[in-house]
Amino acid sequence: DAKTTQPTSMDCAEGRAANLPCNHSTISGNEYVYWYRQIHSQGPQYIIHGLKNNETNEMASLIITEDRKSSTLILPHATLRDTAVYYCIVSRAVKTSYDKVIFGPGTSLSVIP
Amino acid sequence: DGGITQSPKYLFRKEGQNVTLSCEQNLNHDAMYWYRQDPGQGLRLIYYSQIVNDFQKGDIAEGYSVSREKKESFPLTVTSAQKNPTAFYLCALGHLNTGELFFGEGSRLTVL
């Protein structure tokens, strides 16, 4: 089973910030939080990841709570092209032969004009 | 041209036939993964491999087989034992140090 829970769907107005939450209450100390998104009929695309500090890149910001049990992906100015399914997963960065990478159903984000 | 290549992009097969999906990479990553996606659903892990000559079953391995004879290649065979093989199949590479995954464009298999 996936180690994360996310809302099934969300709407966001174009130009506004999209805040996508993720719960990962059983995260281990050496597990990172990764975010991906999948536009229809394409392979998922990596967005950002973090361990405990907040992270920002050209695509998004990642806010991780101090207890690391939840996080929020922020798309600062959502555009119609950001409409996609967003997946939050947790896994170790350096893996052994038995480290699975499990995806849940994700959040379907619709950006509305 | 670097990256991960899946082929074929579209594939049709008759019931009872085995089919092999190709996944090739030239990024020198050790970890490779196969996922299956059904319409409107998330990704489910079929098989994964962290090193050459070693692979592990994922959550839905029944009816599938893989090999990892060389680092660059991780082919997936959908056997006749897979009862509902029509799906979108995604191959991914895992970065050794950062753990992020890079996905191929996928192979869409339809069983007629």
Side-chain angles (χ1 to χ4, degrees):
Chain A
D1 289 344
K3 298 181 181 180
T4 63
T5 55
Q6 300 175 251
T8 302
S9 62
M10 293 181 63
D11 292 337
C12 177
E14 188 178 16
R16 305 295 295 267
N19 297 286
L20 292 89
C22 179
N23 287 321
H24 32 80
S25 59
T26 61
I27 190 170
S28 301
N30 59 357
E31 287 183 319
Y32 287 68
V33 180
Y34 295 83
W35 282 85
Y36 296 83
R37 74 178 182 184
Q38 185 178 26
I39 296 170
H40 183 63
S41 296
Q42 298 181 18
Q45 174 193 24
Y46 165 81
I47 302 174
I48 197 167
H49 75 284
L51 184 63
K52 54 184 178 181
N53 297 323
N54 298 338
E55 302 287 344
T56 296
N57 63 19
E58 65 277 4
M59 292 181 67
S61 294
L62 173 60
I63 309 297
I64 303 174
T65 58
E66 193 168 344
D67 63 7
R68 302 210 322 124
K69 292 185 177 182
S70 65
S71 60
T72 301
L73 179 74
I74 300 172
L75 308 177
H77 306 286
T79 71
L80 299 179
R81 287 177 295 180
D82 292 322
T83 293
V85 177
Y86 288 78
Y87 299 99
C88 165
I89 68 169
V90 295
S91 81
R92 297 197 285 187
V94 179
K95 298 175 180 53
T96 69
S97 293
Y98 299 94
D99 277 306
K100 296 182 181 182
V101 181
I102 303 297
F103 284 72
T107 296
S108 178
L109 175 69
S110 297
V111 180
I112 301 168
Chain B
D1 192 21
I4 175 172
T5 303
Q6 286 189 243
S7 62
K9 193 167 184 177
Y10 299 96
L11 185 62
F12 298 88
R13 82 155 214 220
K14 294 181 180 179
E15 278 192 34
Q17 289 181 333
N18 292 354
V19 61
T20 297
L21 307 179
S22 170
C23 181
E24 302 281 330
Q25 58 117 344
N26 60 5
L27 296 176
N28 202 35
H29 289 325
D30 286 302
M32 298 186 75
Y33 304 82
W34 274 105
Y35 291 90
R36 167 182 171 138
Q37 188 172 37
D38 294 285
Q41 305 295 313
L43 282 67
R44 291 188 290 167
L45 182 63
I46 306 173
Y47 268 99
Y48 61 107
S49 169
Q50 302 291 356
I51 56 173
V52 174
N53 291 322
D54 184 59
F55 49 84
Q56 306 297 329
K57 292 182 179 179
D59 296 326
I60 56 163
E62 185 175 353
Y64 300 97
S65 66
V66 293
S67 64
R68 188 80 189 277
E69 297 176 359
K70 53 183 182 178
K71 196 174 192 178
E72 299 81 13
S73 179
F74 191 42
L76 174 73
T77 297
V78 185
T79 75
S80 56
Q82 169 50 236
K83 298 305 179 188
N84 187 19
T86 294
F88 187 46
Y89 291 89
L90 287 157
C91 180
L93 311 179
H95 191 285
L96 175 63
N97 295 320
T98 65
E100 63 194 74
L101 299 186
F102 305 97
F103 283 84
E105 293 188 348
S107 293
R108 193 168 297 278
L109 172 64
T110 302
V111 174
L112 305 173

